[in-house]
């Protein structure tokens, strides 16, 4: 499973992880959970959240100092994803570059992926 955070995205996510409430339980490892759900203007919508630990079926990878938890059902739609953080006068935020996307919405948070089903079946 390959999901890549650029240096800027990793830096920004580390700041979010540091800024979230301190763990009192040493068994938890704060990380970023990435998923895809039905919605958005193009059919699928990216989801990112700070979480204390992965779900039992999540794929766990490490990007620099950021633990990344990838929803297993979303994994086929996220393979090869690159997440960047852009800062500009008009717009700032995370930018997703997804080789599985056949089209994207102008908002950059929504995409369409060939014949994929909402359950995350690999694109044909």
């Amino acid at each position: 499973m390959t999901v890549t955070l650029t240096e800027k995205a990793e830096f920004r996510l580390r700041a979010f992880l540091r800024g979230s409430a301190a763990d009192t339980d040493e068994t938890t490892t704060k990380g970023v959970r990435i998923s895809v759900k039905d919605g958005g203007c193009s059919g699928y919508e990216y989801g990112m959240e700070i979480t204390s630990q992965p779900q039992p079926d999540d794929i766990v990878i490490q990007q620099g100092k950021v633990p990344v938890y990838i929803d297993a059902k979303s994994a086929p739609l996220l393979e090869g994803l690159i997440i960047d953080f852009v800062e500009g006068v008009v717009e700032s935020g995370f930018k997703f570059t997804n080789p599985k996307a056949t089209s994207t919405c102008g908002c950059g948070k929504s995409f369409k992926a060939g014949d994929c089903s909402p359950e995350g079946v690999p694109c044909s």
Side-chain angles (χ1 to χ4, degrees):
M1 178 80 227
T2 304
V3 170
T4 304
L5 302 176
T6 65
E7 189 175 325
K8 285 182 180 180
E10 181 194 343
F11 178 78
R12 185 58 79 164
L13 288 169
R14 279 195 334 250
F16 283 128
L17 291 171
R18 279 192 308 269
S20 61
D23 280 331
T24 56
D25 182 359
E26 291 182 17
T27 63
T28 63
T29 304
K30 289 222 183 227
V32 178
R33 187 162 194 267
I34 303 172
S35 62
V36 171
K37 55 188 166 193
D38 288 339
C41 346
S42 295
Y44 293 115
E45 186 174 34
Y46 296 106
M48 284 178 58
E49 64 181 325
I50 303 296
T51 185
S52 295
Q53 54 190 346
Q55 297 294 315
D57 63 342
D58 281 352
I59 298 166
V60 179
I61 61 174
Q62 187 78 22
Q63 285 286 295
K65 296 180 181 180
V66 176
V68 178
Y69 310 137
I70 300 164
D71 172 59
K73 289 182 182 175
S74 303
L77 295 170
L78 296 171
E79 178 63 42
L81 180 70
I82 299 171
I83 302 173
D84 194 9
F85 189 83
V86 294
E87 295 183 81
V89 176
V90 177
E91 185 178 11
S92 296
F94 290 99
K95 177 184 174 192
F96 301 90
T97 303
N98 189 342
K100 299 288 186 184
T102 55
S103 66
T104 58
C105 182
C107 68
K109 309 291 186 248
S110 176
F111 69 102
K112 184 175 182 177
D115 296 334
C116 300
S117 72
E119 291 78 34
V121 173
C123 298
S124 59

